[in-house]
Amino acid sequence: FFFPAREKRKVYRILINERRKRTMQEFVGRQEKREWTVTKEMLAVQMGSGMVPVLATPALIACMENACMRLVQPAFGEGITTVGTRVEVAHLAPTPEGARIQVTATLLATDGRRFTYRVEASDESGKIGEGSMERQSVRLSSFGEKAEARKRS
């Protein structure tokens, strides 16, 4: 059975995507827990997102994204990672400098390329944030090239 090279590549991509999809399904329901100590650089007043010396919402979201990324990264080969594509987060309570925060990301669903997560964050006093995030897998090389092309246009 003869396939032109382009058709072989297409079939190969379909097979790889199906294999990745099955592998990624094994991650649904898994959790990643990460902890941070709130530093001066993470404060709203330092980041420019507010006037108060408490954990900035952008810093909280970055911690949540980090937990999401780390949850599925072990399943990818070299040169592939995920990038954030959607964020919906409620920042519920202030956290001061020096406090410890814990972020939990739970993978809810995936099609092998897109990933949907539930995220929660707490400090020593209780819940400080919750929401959902979506990420998509990308090839580092081509993603970087696309970003550079945007800079030139």
Side-chain angles (χ1 to χ4, degrees):
F1 209 112
F2 175 74
F3 281 112
R6 189 168 60 173
E7 289 300 313
K8 284 181 183 177
R9 285 192 302 270
K10 185 177 180 182
V11 168
Y12 180 72
R13 275 196 309 268
I14 291 169
L15 292 173
I16 293 296
N17 287 339
E18 284 303 310
R19 186 178 313 146
R20 181 190 308 157
K21 190 176 184 178
R22 283 193 306 273
T23 300
M24 291 304 180
Q25 287 298 327
E26 296 171 11
F27 280 75
V28 173
R30 289 190 189 179
Q31 292 186 331
E32 177 75 16
K33 294 181 185 213
R34 307 289 298 169
E35 289 190 8
W36 286 267
T37 298
V38 177
T39 63
K40 185 176 183 177
E41 294 78 24
M42 296 168 78
L43 301 179
V45 70
Q46 289 296 121
M47 293 189 81
S49 66
M51 302 288 291
V52 290
V54 297
L55 177 65
T57 302
L60 174 62
I61 290 170
C63 293
M64 290 172 162
E65 283 203 303
N66 180 270
C68 291
M69 181 268 304
R70 288 178 177 270
L71 177 57
V72 297
Q73 191 63 39
F76 294 119
E78 191 172 319
I80 299 176
T81 191
T82 59
V83 295
T85 56
R86 183 168 150 45
V87 174
E88 188 174 318
V89 170
H91 194 164
L92 305 171
T95 303
E97 181 179 1
R100 299 277 303 157
I101 64 167
Q102 183 182 66
V103 172
T104 302
T106 306
L107 182 62
L108 300 178
T110 182
D111 66 2
R113 179 132 195 238
R114 287 183 301 263
F115 303 85
T116 303
Y117 303 85
R118 173 86 182 135
V119 289
E120 293 184 357
S122 58
D123 62 16
E124 294 96 343
S125 299
K127 188 184 284 189
I128 62 168
E130 63 185 2
S132 62
M133 294 188 157
E134 291 180 8
R135 296 180 67 82
Q136 183 166 325
S137 65
V138 297
R139 285 195 171 95
L140 291 170
S141 59
S142 60
F143 194 76
E145 290 168 5
K146 286 178 186 175
E148 286 299 314
R150 288 182 59 80
K151 186 167 68 173
R152 290 188 298 270
S153 61

